[in-house]
């Protein structure tokens, strides 16, 4: 991935519970954290964000989040650039038009966070962002082992929840 953006990412959510702290400790320095916790009440979400931000700074992690008071933002910001979720080519193109610098394409594989939903498959997921001129991060059912298998398809990085807990 361009030196500017992390290769490894943690996607946070309420399901993690106290596993969030373990996951933040497991991330290698320079990794990214996408703070989501969309269902958490605003005041609690802001306090949680402040705590995560403190840990991220101490561990040299890149933290991406919408303004904590905006619990339903669809994108975040990293290093002054916008990140964007894409589940199909249309969403990827919309992200690029909106100025996204990084696309999170998902779900590459089936995930526990979306029970019963099929993954796109690595080749199809890679095609979603191919040729758009922005780094594409594989999300959904990812692990370090799966990352080694799919990175040759053109992904610039990978993101997960469960792989870090």
């Amino acid at each position: 991935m361009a030196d500017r953006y992390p290769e490894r990412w943690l996607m946070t959510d309420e399901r993690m519970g106290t596993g969030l702290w373990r996951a933040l400790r497991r991330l290698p320095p320079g990794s990214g954290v996408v703070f989501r916790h969309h269902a958490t009440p605003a005041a609690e979400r802001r306090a949680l964000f402040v705590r995560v931000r403190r840990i991220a700074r101490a561990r040299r992690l890149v933290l991406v989040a919408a303004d904590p008071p905006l619990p339903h933002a669809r994108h975040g910001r990293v290093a002054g650039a916008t990140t964007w979720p894409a589940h199909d080519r249309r969403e990827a193109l919309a992200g690029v038009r909106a100025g996204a610098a990084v696309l999170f394409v998902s779900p590459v594989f089936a995930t526990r966070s979306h029970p019963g939903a099929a993954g796109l498959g690595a080749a199809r997921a890679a095609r979603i962002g191919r040729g758009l001129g922005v780094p594409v991060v594989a999300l959904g059912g990812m692990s370090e082992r799966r990352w080694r298998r799919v990175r040759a398809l053109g992904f610039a990085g990978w993101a997960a929840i469960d792989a870090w807990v």
Side-chain angles (χ1 to χ4, degrees):
M1 187 173 227
D3 291 337
R4 185 174 169 177
Y5 304 109
E7 181 176 278
R8 290 167 179 79
W9 295 84
L10 165 67
M11 309 296 280
T12 75
D13 72 12
E14 289 81 6
R15 276 187 320 112
M16 298 182 80
T18 60
L20 171 62
W21 315 118
R22 182 174 49 254
L24 289 168
R25 284 191 307 271
R26 291 185 66 196
L27 285 170
S31 296
V33 178
V34 177
F35 182 82
R36 300 182 307 170
H37 285 78
H38 302 305
T40 302
E44 184 181 336
R45 184 173 192 262
R46 279 191 295 276
L48 183 60
F49 177 79
V50 168
R51 187 172 174 198
V52 169
R53 184 177 59 200
R54 190 175 311 117
I55 293 167
R57 285 179 177 160
R59 300 220 47 253
R60 298 186 335 247
L61 303 173
V62 176
L63 179 60
V64 175
D67 235 345
L70 304 174
H72 299 292
R74 285 189 33 103
H75 62 286
R77 296 190 58 80
V78 58
T82 301
T83 64
W84 199 271
H87 304 90
D88 56 36
R89 183 70 174 192
R90 182 186 56 76
E91 289 181 351
L93 290 167
V96 170
R97 281 193 298 274
V102 179
L103 294 174
F104 286 91
V105 175
S106 71
V108 177
F109 300 104
T111 70
R112 201 167 60 93
S113 57
H114 295 89
L120 296 163
R124 182 173 168 208
R127 284 192 301 272
I128 287 173
R130 189 167 290 140
L132 296 179
V134 297
V136 177
V137 176
L139 169 63
M142 292 299 298
S143 64
E144 190 74 44
R145 193 179 106 209
R146 282 184 167 165
W147 166 238
R148 287 191 298 271
R149 289 192 348 231
V150 305
R151 77 182 306 166
L153 295 173
F155 290 105
W158 66 280
I161 299 171
D162 293 334
W164 299 111
V165 178

Coordinates of all heavy atoms in Angstrom, one line a residue, residues 36-119:
R36 N -16.1 2.5 14.6 CA -17.5 2.6 14.2 C -18.5 2.7 15.3 O -19.1 3.8 15.5 CB -17.8 1.3 13.3 CG -16.9 1.3 12.1 CD -17.1 0.2 11.2 NE -17.1 -1.1 11.9 CZ -17.5 -2.2 11.3 NH1 -17.9 -2.3 10.1 NH2 -17.4 -3.4 11.9
H37 N -18.7 1.7 16.1 CA -19.6 1.8 17.2 C -20.9 2.6 17.0 O -21.3 3.5 17.8 CB -18.9 2.3 18.5 CG -18.0 1.2 19.1 ND1 -16.8 0.9 18.5 CD2 -18.2 0.4 20.1 CE1 -16.2 0.0 19.2 NE2 -17.0 -0.4 20.2
H38 N -21.5 2.4 15.9 CA -22.7 3.2 15.4 C -23.9 3.1 16.3 O -24.7 4.0 16.4 CB -23.1 2.8 14.0 CG -22.0 2.9 13.0 ND1 -21.3 4.1 12.8 CD2 -21.5 2.0 12.1 CE1 -20.4 4.0 11.8 NE2 -20.5 2.7 11.4
A39 N -24.1 2.0 17.0 CA -25.3 1.8 17.9 C -25.0 2.3 19.3 O -26.0 2.3 20.1 CB -25.7 0.3 17.9
T40 N -23.8 2.7 19.6 CA -23.5 3.2 21.0 C -24.1 4.6 21.1 O -23.9 5.5 20.2 CB -22.0 3.2 21.2 OG1 -21.5 1.9 21.0 CG2 -21.7 3.7 22.6
P41 N -24.8 4.9 22.2 CA -25.3 6.3 22.5 C -24.2 7.3 22.3 O -23.1 7.1 22.7 CB -25.9 6.2 23.9 CG -26.2 4.7 24.1 CD -25.1 4.0 23.3
A42 N -24.6 8.5 21.9 CA -23.6 9.5 21.5 C -22.6 9.9 22.6 O -21.4 9.9 22.3 CB -24.4 10.8 21.0
A43 N -23.1 10.1 23.8 CA -22.1 10.5 24.9 C -21.2 9.4 25.2 O -19.9 9.6 25.3 CB -22.9 10.9 26.1
E44 N -21.7 8.2 25.2 CA -20.8 7.0 25.5 C -19.9 6.8 24.3 O -18.7 6.4 24.5 CB -21.7 5.8 25.7 CG -21.0 4.5 26.1 CD -21.9 3.3 26.3 OE1 -23.1 3.5 26.6 OE2 -21.4 2.2 26.1
R45 N -20.3 7.0 23.1 CA -19.5 6.8 21.9 C -18.4 7.8 21.9 O -17.2 7.5 21.6 CB -20.4 7.0 20.7 CG -19.6 6.7 19.4 CD -20.6 6.7 18.2 NE -19.9 6.2 17.0 CZ -19.4 7.0 16.1 NH1 -19.4 8.3 16.2 NH2 -18.8 6.5 15.0
R46 N -18.7 9.1 22.3 CA -17.6 10.1 22.3 C -16.5 9.7 23.4 O -15.3 9.8 23.1 CB -18.2 11.5 22.7 CG -18.8 12.2 21.5 CD -19.1 13.6 21.8 NE -20.2 13.8 22.8 CZ -21.5 13.7 22.5 NH1 -21.9 13.5 21.3 NH2 -22.3 13.8 23.5
A47 N -17.0 9.2 24.5 CA -16.0 8.8 25.6 C -15.2 7.6 25.1 O -14.0 7.6 25.4 CB -16.8 8.5 26.9
L48 N -15.8 6.7 24.5 CA -15.1 5.5 24.0 C -14.1 5.9 22.9 O -12.9 5.5 22.9 CB -16.1 4.5 23.4 CG -15.5 3.2 22.9 CD1 -14.8 2.4 24.0 CD2 -16.7 2.3 22.3
F49 N -14.5 6.8 22.0 CA -13.6 7.3 21.0 C -12.4 8.0 21.6 O -11.2 7.8 21.1 CB -14.3 8.3 20.1 CG -13.5 8.9 19.0 CD1 -13.2 8.2 17.9 CD2 -12.9 10.2 19.2 CE1 -12.3 8.8 16.9 CE2 -12.1 10.8 18.2 CZ -11.8 10.0 17.1
V50 N -12.6 8.8 22.6 CA -11.4 9.5 23.2 C -10.5 8.5 23.8 O -9.2 8.6 23.7 CB -11.9 10.5 24.3 CG1 -10.8 10.9 25.2 CG2 -12.7 11.6 23.7
R51 N -11.0 7.4 24.4 CA -10.1 6.4 25.0 C -9.4 5.6 23.9 O -8.1 5.4 24.0 CB -11.0 5.4 25.8 CG -10.1 4.4 26.5 CD -11.0 3.6 27.5 NE -10.2 2.5 28.1 CZ -10.7 1.5 28.7 NH1 -12.0 1.3 28.8 NH2 -9.9 0.6 29.2
V52 N -10.1 5.3 22.8 CA -9.4 4.6 21.7 C -8.4 5.5 21.0 O -7.3 5.1 20.7 CB -10.5 4.2 20.6 CG1 -9.8 3.7 19.3 CG2 -11.3 3.0 21.2
R53 N -8.7 6.8 20.9 CA -7.7 7.8 20.3 C -6.5 7.8 21.1 O -5.4 7.9 20.6 CB -8.4 9.1 20.2 CG -7.5 10.1 19.5 CD -8.1 11.5 19.3 NE -8.5 12.0 20.6 CZ -9.4 12.9 20.7 NH1 -10.1 13.5 19.7 NH2 -9.7 13.4 22.0
R54 N -6.6 7.9 22.5 CA -5.4 7.9 23.3 C -4.5 6.7 23.1 O -3.3 6.8 23.0 CB -5.9 8.0 24.8 CG -4.8 8.3 25.8 CD -5.3 8.5 27.2 NE -6.4 9.4 27.3 CZ -7.7 9.1 27.7 NH1 -7.9 7.8 28.1 NH2 -8.6 9.9 27.8
I55 N -5.1 5.5 23.0 CA -4.4 4.3 22.8 C -3.8 4.3 21.4 O -2.6 3.9 21.3 CB -5.3 3.0 23.0 CG1 -5.7 2.9 24.5 CG2 -4.6 1.8 22.5 CD1 -6.8 1.9 24.7
A56 N -4.5 4.7 20.4 CA -4.0 4.8 19.1 C -2.8 5.7 19.0 O -1.8 5.3 18.3 CB -5.1 5.2 18.1
R57 N -2.8 6.8 19.6 CA -1.7 7.7 19.6 C -0.5 7.1 20.3 O 0.6 7.2 19.7 CB -2.0 9.0 20.3 CG -2.9 9.9 19.4 CD -3.3 11.2 20.1 NE -4.0 12.1 19.3 CZ -4.8 13.0 19.7 NH1 -4.9 13.3 21.0 NH2 -5.5 13.8 18.9
A58 N -0.7 6.5 21.4 CA 0.4 5.9 22.2 C 1.0 4.7 21.4 O 2.3 4.5 21.5 CB -0.1 5.4 23.5
R59 N 0.2 4.0 20.6 CA 0.7 2.8 19.9 C 1.1 3.1 18.4 O 1.4 2.2 17.7 CB -0.3 1.7 20.0 CG -0.6 1.3 21.4 CD -0.8 -0.2 21.6 NE 0.2 -1.0 21.0 CZ 0.1 -1.7 19.9 NH1 -1.1 -1.8 19.3 NH2 1.1 -2.4 19.5
R60 N 1.0 4.4 18.0 CA 1.3 4.8 16.7 C 0.3 4.1 15.7 O 0.8 3.6 14.6 CB 2.7 4.6 16.3 CG 3.7 5.4 17.2 CD 5.1 5.3 16.7 NE 5.4 4.1 16.0 CZ 6.2 3.2 16.4 NH1 6.8 3.3 17.6 NH2 6.5 2.1 15.7
L61 N -1.0 4.1 16.0 CA -2.0 3.5 15.1 C -2.7 4.7 14.4 O -2.8 5.8 15.0 CB -3.0 2.7 15.9 CG -2.5 1.5 16.7 CD1 -3.5 0.9 17.6 CD2 -1.8 0.5 15.8
V62 N -3.1 4.5 13.2 CA -3.9 5.5 12.4 C -5.4 5.3 12.8 O -5.9 4.2 12.5 CB -3.6 5.3 10.9 CG1 -4.5 6.3 10.2 CG2 -2.1 5.5 10.6
L63 N -6.0 6.3 13.3 CA -7.4 6.2 13.7 C -8.3 6.9 12.7 O -8.1 8.1 12.4 CB -7.6 6.8 15.1 CG -9.0 6.8 15.6 CD1 -9.6 5.4 15.8 CD2 -9.0 7.5 17.0
V64 N -9.3 6.2 12.2 CA -10.2 6.7 11.2 C -11.6 6.7 11.9 O -12.0 5.7 12.4 CB -10.3 5.9 10.0 CG1 -11.4 6.4 9.0 CG2 -9.0 5.8 9.3
A65 N -12.2 7.9 11.9 CA -13.6 7.9 12.4 C -14.3 9.2 11.9 O -13.6 10.2 11.7 CB -13.5 8.0 14.0
A66 N -15.6 9.1 11.8 CA -16.4 10.3 11.6 C -16.3 11.0 12.9 O -15.9 10.5 14.0 CB -17.8 9.9 11.3
D67 N -16.7 12.3 12.9 CA -16.8 13.0 14.1 C -17.6 12.2 15.1 O -18.7 11.7 14.8 CB -17.6 14.3 13.8 CG -16.9 15.5 14.2 OD1 -15.9 15.5 15.0 OD2 -17.4 16.6 13.8
P68 N -17.1 11.9 16.3 CA -17.9 11.1 17.3 C -19.4 11.4 17.4 O -20.2 10.5 17.6 CB -17.1 11.2 18.6 CG -15.7 11.5 18.1 CD -15.9 12.3 16.9
P69 N -19.8 12.7 17.3 CA -21.2 12.9 17.5 C -22.1 12.5 16.3 O -23.3 12.6 16.3 CB -21.3 14.5 17.6 CG -20.0 14.9 18.0 CD -19.0 13.9 17.4
L70 N -21.4 12.0 15.2 CA -22.1 11.6 14.0 C -22.1 10.1 13.9 O -21.3 9.6 13.1 CB -21.5 12.3 12.8 CG -21.4 13.8 12.8 CD1 -20.6 14.3 11.6 CD2 -22.8 14.4 12.8
P71 N -23.0 9.4 14.6 CA -22.9 8.0 14.7 C -23.2 7.2 13.4 O -22.9 6.1 13.3 CB -23.9 7.6 15.7 CG -24.9 8.8 15.8 CD -24.1 10.0 15.4
H72 N -23.8 7.9 12.4 CA -24.1 7.1 11.2 C -23.4 7.6 9.9 O -23.9 7.4 8.8 CB -25.6 7.2 10.9 CG -26.4 6.6 12.1 ND1 -26.3 5.2 12.3 CD2 -27.1 7.1 13.0 CE1 -27.0 5.0 13.4 NE2 -27.5 6.1 13.9
A73 N -22.2 8.1 10.1 CA -21.4 8.6 8.9 C -21.0 7.3 8.1 O -20.8 6.3 8.7 CB -20.2 9.3 9.4
R74 N -21.0 7.4 6.8 CA -20.7 6.3 5.9 C -19.2 6.2 5.6 O -18.8 5.3 4.9 CB -21.5 6.4 4.6 CG -22.9 6.1 4.7 CD -23.5 6.0 3.3 NE -22.6 5.5 2.3 CZ -22.6 4.3 1.8 NH1 -23.5 3.4 2.2 NH2 -21.7 4.0 0.9
H75 N -18.5 7.2 6.0 CA -17.1 7.2 5.6 C -16.3 7.9 6.7 O -16.8 8.5 7.6 CB -16.8 8.0 4.3 CG -17.2 9.4 4.3 ND1 -18.5 9.8 4.3 CD2 -16.5 10.5 4.4 CE1 -18.6 11.1 4.4 NE2 -17.4 11.6 4.5
G76 N -15.0 7.7 6.7 CA -14.1 8.3 7.7 C -13.0 9.1 7.0 O -13.0 9.2 5.8
R77 N -12.1 9.6 7.9 CA -10.9 10.3 7.3 C -9.6 9.8 7.9 O -9.6 9.5 9.1 CB -11.1 11.8 7.6 CG -12.3 12.3 6.9 CD -12.4 13.8 6.9 NE -11.3 14.6 6.4 CZ -11.1 14.8 5.1 NH1 -11.9 14.3 4.2 NH2 -10.1 15.5 4.6
V78 N -8.6 9.6 7.1 CA -7.3 9.2 7.5 C -6.3 10.0 6.8 O -6.4 10.2 5.6 CB -7.1 7.7 7.2 CG1 -7.3 7.3 5.8 CG2 -5.7 7.2 7.7
A79 N -5.3 10.5 7.5 CA -4.2 11.3 6.9 C -4.8 12.4 6.0 O -4.3 12.6 4.9 CB -3.2 10.4 6.2
G80 N -5.9 13.0 6.4 CA -6.5 14.1 5.6 C -7.2 13.6 4.4 O -7.6 14.4 3.6
A81 N -7.5 12.3 4.3 CA -8.1 11.7 3.1 C -9.4 10.9 3.5 O -9.4 10.4 4.7 CB -7.2 10.9 2.3
T82 N -10.3 10.8 2.6 CA -11.6 10.1 2.9 C -11.4 8.6 2.6 O -10.9 8.2 1.6 CB -12.7 10.7 2.1 OG1 -12.8 12.0 2.4 CG2 -14.0 10.0 2.3
T83 N -12.0 7.8 3.5 CA -12.1 6.3 3.3 C -13.6 6.1 2.9 O -14.4 6.8 3.3 CB -11.7 5.5 4.5 OG1 -12.5 5.7 5.6 CG2 -10.2 5.8 4.9
W84 N -13.8 4.9 2.2 CA -15.2 4.7 1.8 C -15.5 3.2 1.7 O -14.6 2.4 1.2 CB -15.3 5.3 0.4 CG -16.7 5.5 -0.1 CD1 -17.5 4.6 -0.7 CD2 -17.5 6.7 0.1 NE1 -18.7 5.2 -1.0 CE2 -18.7 6.5 -0.5 CE3 -17.2 7.9 0.7 CZ2 -19.7 7.4 -0.5 CZ3 -18.2 8.9 0.6 CH2 -19.4 8.6 0.1
P85 N -16.7 2.8 2.1 CA -17.0 1.4 2.0 C -17.6 1.1 0.6 O -18.3 2.0 0.1 CB -18.1 1.2 3.1 CG -18.8 2.6 3.1 CD -17.6 3.6 2.9
A86 N -17.3 0.0 0.1 CA -17.9 -0.4 -1.2 C -18.2 -1.9 -1.2 O -17.4 -2.7 -0.9 CB -16.9 -0.1 -2.4
H87 N -19.5 -2.2 -1.6 CA -20.0 -3.5 -1.7 C -20.2 -4.0 -3.1 O -20.5 -5.1 -3.4 CB -21.3 -3.7 -0.9 CG -21.1 -3.3 0.5 ND1 -21.3 -2.0 1.0 CD2 -20.7 -3.9 1.6 CE1 -21.1 -1.9 2.2 NE2 -20.7 -3.1 2.7
D88 N -20.0 -3.0 -4.0 CA -20.2 -3.3 -5.5 C -19.5 -2.1 -6.2 O -19.0 -1.2 -5.6 CB -21.6 -3.4 -5.9 CG -22.5 -2.2 -5.5 OD1 -22.0 -1.0 -5.6 OD2 -23.7 -2.4 -5.2
R89 N -19.4 -2.3 -7.5 CA -18.7 -1.3 -8.3 C -19.3 0.1 -8.3 O -18.6 1.1 -8.2 CB -18.6 -1.8 -9.8 CG -17.8 -0.9 -10.8 CD -16.4 -1.0 -10.5 NE -15.6 -0.2 -11.5 CZ -14.3 -0.2 -11.7 NH1 -13.6 -1.0 -10.9 NH2 -13.8 0.5 -12.6
R90 N -20.6 0.1 -8.2 CA -21.4 1.4 -8.2 C -20.9 2.2 -6.9 O -20.7 3.4 -7.0 CB -22.9 1.1 -8.2 CG -23.7 2.4 -8.1 CD -25.2 2.1 -8.0 NE -25.5 1.3 -6.8 CZ -25.6 1.7 -5.6 NH1 -25.3 2.9 -5.3 NH2 -25.9 0.9 -4.6
E91 N -20.9 1.5 -5.8 CA -20.5 2.2 -4.5 C -19.0 2.6 -4.6 O -18.6 3.6 -4.0 CB -20.7 1.3 -3.3 CG -22.2 1.1 -3.0 CD -22.4 0.2 -1.8 OE1 -21.5 -0.4 -1.3 OE2 -23.6 0.2 -1.3
A92 N -18.2 1.8 -5.2 CA -16.8 2.1 -5.4 C -16.6 3.4 -6.2 O -15.8 4.3 -5.9 CB -16.0 1.0 -6.0
L93 N -17.3 3.5 -7.3 CA -17.3 4.7 -8.2 C -17.8 5.9 -7.4 O -17.3 7.0 -7.5 CB -18.1 4.4 -9.4 CG -17.5 3.4 -10.4 CD1 -18.5 3.0 -11.5 CD2 -16.2 4.0 -11.0
A94 N -18.9 5.7 -6.6 CA -19.4 6.8 -5.8 C -18.4 7.3 -4.8 O -18.2 8.5 -4.6 CB -20.7 6.4 -5.1
G95 N -17.6 6.4 -4.2 CA -16.6 6.8 -3.3 C -15.5 7.6 -4.0 O -15.0 8.6 -3.4
V96 N -15.1 7.1 -5.1 CA -14.0 7.9 -5.9 C -14.5 9.3 -6.3 O -13.8 10.2 -6.1 CB -13.6 7.1 -7.1 CG1 -12.7 7.9 -8.0 CG2 -12.9 5.8 -6.6
R97 N -15.8 9.3 -6.7 CA -16.4 10.7 -7.1 C -16.4 11.6 -5.9 O -16.3 12.8 -6.0 CB -17.7 10.5 -7.7 CG -17.7 10.1 -9.2 CD -19.1 10.3 -9.8 NE -20.1 9.4 -9.2 CZ -20.3 8.2 -9.5 NH1 -19.6 7.6 -10.4 NH2 -21.3 7.5 -8.9
A98 N -16.6 11.0 -4.7 CA -16.7 11.8 -3.4 C -15.3 12.1 -2.9 O -15.2 12.8 -1.9 CB -17.5 11.0 -2.4
G99 N -14.3 11.6 -3.6 CA -12.9 12.0 -3.1 C -12.2 11.0 -2.3 O -11.2 11.3 -1.6
A100 N -12.8 9.7 -2.2 CA -12.2 8.7 -1.4 C -10.7 8.4 -1.8 O -10.4 8.4 -3.0 CB -13.0 7.4 -1.5
A101 N -9.9 8.3 -0.8 CA -8.5 8.0 -1.0 C -8.2 6.5 -0.8 O -7.2 5.9 -1.2 CB -7.6 8.8 -0.2
V102 N -9.1 5.8 -0.1 CA -9.0 4.4 0.2 C -10.4 3.8 0.2 O -11.4 4.4 0.8 CB -8.4 4.1 1.7 CG1 -8.4 2.7 2.0 CG2 -7.1 4.8 1.8
L103 N -10.6 2.6 -0.5 CA -11.8 1.9 -0.5 C -11.8 0.7 0.3 O -10.8 -0.1 0.2 CB -12.2 1.5 -2.0 CG -12.5 2.6 -3.0 CD1 -12.6 2.0 -4.4 CD2 -13.7 3.4 -2.6
F104 N -12.7 0.4 1.2 CA -12.9 -0.8 1.9 C -13.9 -1.7 1.2 O -15.1 -1.3 1.3 CB -13.3 -0.6 3.4 CG -12.2 0.0 4.2 CD1 -12.0 1.4 4.3 CD2 -11.3 -0.8 4.9 CE1 -11.0 1.9 5.1 CE2 -10.3 -0.3 5.7 CZ -10.2 1.1 5.8
V105 N -13.5 -2.7 0.5 CA -14.4 -3.5 -0.3 C -14.8 -4.8 0.6 O -13.9 -5.5 1.1 CB -13.8 -4.0 -1.6 CG1 -14.7 -5.0 -2.3 CG2 -13.5 -2.8 -2.5
S106 N -16.1 -5.0 0.7 CA -16.6 -6.1 1.5 C -18.0 -6.6 1.1 O -18.6 -5.9 0.3 CB -16.6 -5.6 3.0 OG -17.7 -4.7 3.1
P107 N -18.3 -7.8 1.5 CA -17.5 -8.7 2.3 C -16.8 -9.7 1.3 O -17.4 -10.3 0.4 CB -18.5 -9.5 3.1 CG -19.7 -9.6 2.2 CD -19.7 -8.2 1.5
V108 N -15.5 -9.7 1.5 CA -14.7 -10.6 0.6 C -15.0 -12.1 0.9 O -15.3 -12.9 0.0 CB -13.2 -10.4 0.8 CG1 -12.4 -11.4 0.0 CG2 -12.8 -9.0 0.5
F109 N -15.1 -12.4 2.2 CA -15.5 -13.8 2.6 C -16.7 -13.6 3.6 O -17.0 -12.5 4.1 CB -14.4 -14.5 3.3 CG -13.2 -14.7 2.5 CD1 -12.0 -13.9 2.7 CD2 -13.1 -15.6 1.5 CE1 -10.9 -14.0 1.9 CE2 -12.0 -15.8 0.7 CZ -10.9 -15.0 0.9
A110 N -17.4 -14.7 3.9 CA -18.5 -14.7 4.8 C -18.0 -14.2 6.2 O -16.8 -14.5 6.5 CB -19.1 -16.1 4.9
T111 N -18.8 -13.5 6.9 CA -18.4 -13.0 8.2 C -19.4 -13.3 9.3 O -20.6 -13.5 9.0 CB -18.2 -11.5 8.2 OG1 -19.5 -10.9 8.1 CG2 -17.4 -11.0 7.0
R112 N -18.9 -13.3 10.5 CA -19.7 -13.5 11.7 C -20.7 -12.3 11.9 O -21.8 -12.5 12.4 CB -18.9 -13.8 12.9 CG -19.6 -14.5 14.0 CD -18.5 -15.0 15.1 NE -17.8 -13.9 15.6 CZ -18.1 -13.3 16.8 NH1 -19.2 -13.7 17.4 NH2 -17.3 -12.4 17.3
S113 N -20.2 -11.1 11.5 CA -21.0 -9.9 11.7 C -22.2 -9.8 10.7 O -23.1 -9.0 10.9 CB -20.2 -8.7 11.6 OG -19.5 -8.6 10.3
H114 N -22.2 -10.6 9.7 CA -23.3 -10.7 8.7 C -23.7 -12.1 8.5 O -23.5 -12.7 7.4 CB -23.0 -10.0 7.4 CG -22.7 -8.6 7.6 ND1 -21.5 -8.0 7.8 CD2 -23.5 -7.5 7.5 CE1 -21.5 -6.7 7.9 NE2 -22.8 -6.4 7.7
P115 N -24.3 -12.8 9.5 CA -24.6 -14.2 9.4 C -25.5 -14.5 8.2 O -26.5 -13.8 7.9 CB -25.3 -14.5 10.7 CG -25.4 -13.3 11.5 CD -24.8 -12.2 10.7
G116 N -25.2 -15.6 7.5 CA -26.0 -16.0 6.3 C -25.7 -15.3 5.0 O -26.1 -15.7 4.0
A117 N -25.0 -14.2 5.1 CA -24.6 -13.4 3.9 C -23.4 -14.1 3.2 O -22.4 -14.4 3.9 CB -24.4 -12.0 4.2
A118 N -23.5 -14.3 1.9 CA -22.3 -14.9 1.2 C -21.3 -13.8 1.0 O -21.6 -12.6 0.8 CB -22.8 -15.4 -0.1
G119 N -20.0 -14.2 0.9 CA -19.0 -13.3 0.6 C -18.9 -13.1 -0.9 O -19.5 -13.9 -1.7

